[in-house]
Amino acid sequence: GVKMTKTLEMVFRNSSGKTVTLSMPDPKEDITLAQVEAVMDEIVAKKVFTSKAGELSQVVEARIASRDSAVLA
């Protein structure tokens, strides 16, 4: 059968100007942009994550990615 998976992708810009994406599997169905932006703002403010090219310094966008996968038989 076909299985659909969803991933919340939180996209930031780091201090070097490069984009960094944090992916979280299986987001809640009723998650809102306001909820995600609040978390993203906290991640930036508290410097929770860094990347190879510097700390995360700016929120770019949040998106839900959907992917269908099927096992070949």
Side-chain angles (χ1 to χ4, degrees):
V2 175
K3 179 182 175 190
M4 177 162 30
T5 56
K6 290 187 177 182
T7 305
L8 170 63
E9 296 179 343
M10 297 179 286
V11 184
F12 300 87
R13 194 166 318 285
N14 65 20
S15 53
S16 297
K18 296 190 184 323
T19 57
V20 177
T21 303
L22 300 178
S23 298
M24 305 292 294
D26 304 318
K28 294 186 339 184
E29 286 294 326
D30 61 349
I31 197 164
T32 66
L33 178 58
Q35 291 171 322
V36 176
E37 284 181 335
V39 170
M40 293 176 77
D41 289 341
E42 283 286 305
I43 289 170
V44 170
K46 297 191 173 171
K47 301 180 182 1
V48 176
F49 297 101
T50 59
S51 66
K52 291 179 201 163
E55 63 192 32
L56 305 183
S57 58
Q58 180 185 356
V59 172
V60 175
E61 69 177 355
R63 58 188 180 230
I64 301 282
S66 299
R67 186 175 143 239
D68 290 338
S69 59
V71 176
L72 297 176

